[in-house]
Amino acid sequence: MSIQLLFDALALGGIYAIAALGIALIFGVMKLVNFAHGQFIACAVFALIIPSTDAVAVMGLGRLPALILIPAVLAVGALLALAAEALVFRPLRNASPVALMVGSFALGVALQNLLLVLYGGRPKAVSLWADLGAPIALGPAQVPLLQLIVIVAVGAILLALALMLKHTRIGLEMRAAAEDFGMARLLGVRANRVISGAFALSGALAAVVALVLVAQTGVADVRMGGQIMLVAFIATVVGGMGSLAGAVAAGLALGAASALLQAGLPPEARPFRDAFLYALVIFVLLFRPQGLFASAGAKPRV
Amino acid sequence: MITQHQIRRRMAATTPLLLSLLILAFVVAAVTLGDRATARMASETLIRVTLVVGFWIFAGNSGVISFGHAAFACVGAYVSAWTTLNPMMKGTLLPGLPAALAELHWPVLPAAITGGLVAAALALVSGAAILRLSGIAASIASFAFLAMINTIWANWTPVTGGTSSVVGLARYITPWVALGWAVSAIVIASVYAASASGLALRATREDEVAAAASGIDQYRHRLLAYTVSAFFCGVGGALMGHFIGVINPDGFYLDLTFLMLAMLVVGGIGSLSGAVVGVLAVSLAVEALVRLEKGITLGATTFALPPGSQEILIAIAMILVLVFRPTGLMAGREIMLPARWVVGRGTSQDRPETDRR
């Protein structure tokens, strides 16, 4: 029971952390709260199947072997984010954070309805790597193979990102831009390169979330990114806006809280799990309004 | 001798009057020139005026975008349904309602007001937590609040009917009822905007630090505006419910949030006139697009937009406004009478500059 709970918490928290990182990366470099992130996830899911409004999904990209499929979906996510940056957010570069946020919300609505037009509104069954659902025994617990893969993959991604941010030039530039964008530009950081890099990474992370979601649920739904995006937002706020490590930690914590609530709540209260989670978060913020790991750059300067 | 300040106050007082006349003209035109469908469109537009003006009281004055106002509309609509529905119907549709609530069979006006008051009370409680956060974080928390209310309403089936709709709400909304509420929202909004609290709140919108240094308690004024604002969103939600006759939690979720936000952005968030003009402009555009989606016949060929393109086009329009005219159609100006009209005859005064707020 307890080991199973631990794996549930880690897998869910890992997904939340990846999604939160996708949002925090973009917030860091251009103070944009990306309300279109959920639709990036949904678009990456639908990239697997051939556009049609029929009830039965015909796999397009999804038929490829995993070794080609995964990079291809990551590329779709990254390209979509790059296109969004070039078409919507570059013209808004100098706008206020509020205008950016509203713009991204509009972009999200446009993408969602584009999916509706292309694919129809009904959720579709998609079987991607169905045999990964098989449980394997791990001591006393039965853990689905997929959960193990998710945990390992999330760990690897976080490690790779941490190395990239610490040891490569673009990583250094991103951290500098998140600290103080104006100063970074004065010191020779190219704004377009850093922002495009952040968007591409964020889109690829959205595609990772998309793949895990499809493999877990076996469904493609236009609205499927929304709930994860919301939890990821909350994670960025709880973690302290602009802190990447904070976003990851808060994402993991939210996943753990969510798994605990799922296990601990009486069955009739379970449908309200997310409501409890959001209430818990608002409660936490009452005591630490600046988040748990507030970065120095998040405070307005006089 | 009349001072500049008095002239400005008088000019500002003409804004609600002119806006009310504008929507009155809109209703009269729709009712006399159009058919029943046009009259329905007019009612719907005026309900949106109530909602968006309510939304503006908070978002416009504080500069903080709230994604949670659709939740207040949801609460208002359900409170009105709980209090007005026939007790027999409530017994079968909503078996879990507390007995005291299940027996009520109120007239519609007190029900709408109660809907607004309950929404305002909810705003006071939730705002006390959410509004402690800084601008962007508060927006995200308000989004979490919206999702929380939606989750509760969609799953609390015995009391809210869950995702299946509550039907049979009295359809009493005529363009005139909607006009009455829209005008009261406009009047209260302009009274609040001209009040000491409204001025203080706009000061925090322009410069948070300077306002705090001048002794303004940002949190208190935000909370007051949030509460007043939720009242009109609650009433607007009740009106929406009684306009369609059927309510459902998803009718008060992201689509409504998007529509309210689009209207405010297109009209211009900086002024009350912007909110009203935005509702009229976007509503007319939506109406035109809905007719195009149904298809128009040109000679032998029928031209129709695919369903869903309405939202896409509105969203694109919203992005274009943000890029090319970030202050919206009204650019933060109010519609008001010129200075020489509000100054008595014989007093010559230089005209003050246009009030940009």
Side-chain angles (χ1 to χ4, degrees):
Chain A
M1 164 67 196
S2 58
I3 294 185
Q4 208 142 354
L5 194 61
L6 179 73
F7 276 93
D8 281 350
L10 272 178
L12 193 60
I15 288 304
Y16 288 164
I18 294 287
L21 204 52
I23 286 171
L25 268 174
I26 293 184
F27 184 83
V29 292
M30 65 183 295
K31 300 284 166 280
L32 158 65
V33 179
N34 187 12
F35 269 83
H37 199 75
Q39 270 65 50
F40 288 177
I41 296 175
C43 286
V45 168
F46 277 92
L48 293 170
I49 51 186
I50 291 172
S52 81
T53 49
D54 300 339
V56 183
V58 181
M59 296 295 251
L61 255 183
R63 254 186 308 204
L64 298 170
L67 217 53
I68 311 173
L69 171 70
I70 294 173
V73 174
L74 294 192
V76 167
L79 286 177
L80 180 68
L82 282 176
E85 197 271 328
L87 291 176
V88 177
F89 300 116
R90 191 160 296 188
L92 286 172
R93 188 71 61 83
N94 296 318
S96 70
V98 170
L100 279 168
M101 179 173 73
V102 172
S104 73
F105 191 75
L107 174 68
V109 171
L111 284 177
Q112 179 167 13
N113 284 284
L114 192 66
L115 287 179
L116 276 175
V117 170
L118 290 178
Y119 291 91
R122 277 166 301 184
K124 298 178 185 206
V126 177
S127 86
L128 183 73
W129 307 326
D131 38 341
L132 291 188
I136 53 171
L138 211 80
Q142 295 279 318
V143 179
L145 183 58
L146 181 67
Q147 241 177 31
L148 287 181
I149 296 180
V150 167
I151 293 170
V152 172
V154 167
I157 290 171
L158 290 182
L159 189 69
L161 268 178
L163 288 177
M164 192 209 86
L165 286 172
K166 276 254 154 35
H167 296 289
T168 64
R169 182 172 172 84
I170 181 94
L172 180 70
E173 289 181 349
M174 268 183 203
R175 282 188 298 138
E179 195 76 19
D180 185 334
F181 198 65
M183 189 66 204
R185 287 189 74 177
L186 289 176
L187 293 174
V189 169
R190 267 181 291 167
N192 283 344
R193 209 171 85 112
V194 168
I195 290 180
S196 302
F199 267 91
L201 258 181
S202 167
L205 291 176
V208 171
V209 174
L211 283 174
V212 174
L213 273 186
V214 174
Q216 260 174 0
T217 60
V219 174
D221 184 353
V222 176
R223 285 166 290 274
M224 68 194 302
Q227 191 262 350
I228 292 244
M229 175 179 76
L230 180 56
V231 176
F233 276 154
I234 295 172
T236 53
V237 174
V238 170
M241 311 280 306
S243 156
L244 295 182
V248 171
L252 286 170
L254 284 174
S258 198
L260 280 177
L261 281 174
Q262 180 76 26
L265 284 177
E268 63 271 18
R270 261 179 218 162
F272 301 102
R273 185 194 73 185
D274 286 351
F276 280 104
L277 187 66
Y278 305 145
L280 189 73
V281 164
I282 293 180
F283 190 70
V284 167
L285 290 175
L286 272 181
F287 294 99
R288 272 191 79 85
Q290 71 279 39
L292 297 175
F293 308 85
S295 72
K299 265 196 172 168
R301 290 187 199 175
V302 184
Chain B
M1 186 62 197
I2 184 165
T3 63
Q4 288 281 338
H5 178 71
Q6 282 169 314
I7 296 177
R8 280 181 174 241
R9 295 293 286 198
R10 281 193 205 174
M11 281 168 69
T14 62
T15 299
L17 198 67
L18 292 178
L19 289 176
S20 302
L21 287 174
L22 175 69
I23 56 175
L24 175 67
F26 177 75
V27 172
V28 170
V31 170
T32 53
L33 302 179
D35 49 3
R36 279 195 51 182
T38 327
R40 274 185 70 75
M41 192 274 278
S43 315
E44 197 175 13
T45 306
L46 290 183
I47 295 171
R48 289 176 185 152
V49 170
T50 312
L51 281 167
V52 174
V53 166
F55 184 33
W56 176 84
I57 294 176
F58 176 71
N61 287 307
S62 72
V64 177
I65 294 289
S66 157
F67 292 98
H69 276 68
F72 298 131
C74 177
V75 170
Y78 275 84
V79 167
S80 179
W82 288 332
T83 49
T84 60
L85 273 181
N86 188 333
M88 299 251 294
M89 266 180 73
K90 276 189 277 192
T92 47
L93 274 177
L94 309 167
L97 270 189
L101 208 53
E103 285 161 13
L104 295 181
H105 195 180
W106 281 4
V108 288
L109 181 64
I113 295 174
T114 312
L117 289 176
V118 172
L122 181 66
L124 193 62
V125 175
S126 63
I130 293 171
L131 298 177
R132 281 173 206 277
L133 302 170
S134 73
I136 293 278
S139 299
I140 293 176
S142 72
F143 195 67
F145 170 72
L146 173 68
M148 187 167 103
I149 295 292
N150 186 261
T151 310
I152 294 176
W153 250 252
N155 290 299
W156 198 12
T157 312
V159 175
T160 63
T163 45
S164 54
S165 308
V166 174
V167 295
L169 278 77
R171 294 176 59 176
Y172 69 93
I173 308 294
T174 63
W176 304 107
V177 174
L179 180 72
W181 276 112
V183 168
S184 36
I186 290 174
V187 169
I188 298 292
S190 64
V191 166
Y192 177 76
S195 71
S197 171
L199 287 170
L201 193 56
R202 283 203 300 285
T204 69
R205 177 188 79 186
E206 298 306 327
D207 191 329
E208 219 169 275
V209 178
S214 316
I216 292 176
D217 182 357
Q218 168 179 299
Y219 166 72
R220 211 182 70 198
H221 297 298
R222 278 191 181 170
L223 190 58
L224 176 61
Y226 196 63
T227 308
V228 176
S229 154
F231 174 81
F232 283 104
C233 284
V235 169
L239 298 180
M240 256 177 82
H242 286 278
F243 173 70
I244 310 169
V246 177
I247 51 176
N248 180 303
D250 282 343
F252 301 95
Y253 198 38
L254 293 177
D255 291 347
L256 181 63
T257 308
F258 169 66
L259 195 65
M260 283 164 65
L261 208 54
M263 288 170 167
L264 205 53
V265 166
V266 168
I269 193 167
S271 67
L272 176 59
S273 311
V276 176
V277 169
V279 174
L280 296 182
V282 173
S283 289
L284 291 174
V286 167
E287 183 67 16
L289 289 172
V290 166
R291 297 203 171 175
L292 278 180
E293 277 182 4
K294 280 184 191 148
I296 45 169
T297 316
L298 283 177
T301 53
T302 305
F303 171 72
L305 293 171
S309 46
Q310 170 206 333
E311 280 85 1
I312 299 180
L313 290 172
I314 299 279
I316 292 175
M318 199 167 149
I319 293 173
L320 290 177
V321 166
L322 284 172
V323 172
F324 294 108
R325 203 177 161 86
T327 46
L329 291 176
M330 294 302 295
R333 287 195 205 88
E334 295 287 4
I335 299 175
M336 51 173 78
L337 290 177
R340 73 198 126 85
W341 290 34
V342 295
V343 181
R345 209 179 298 162
T347 44
S348 70
Q349 268 290 336
D350 288 336
R351 204 191 303 182
E353 296 160 45
T354 331
D355 186 10
R356 286 175 158 270
R357 45 178 193 185

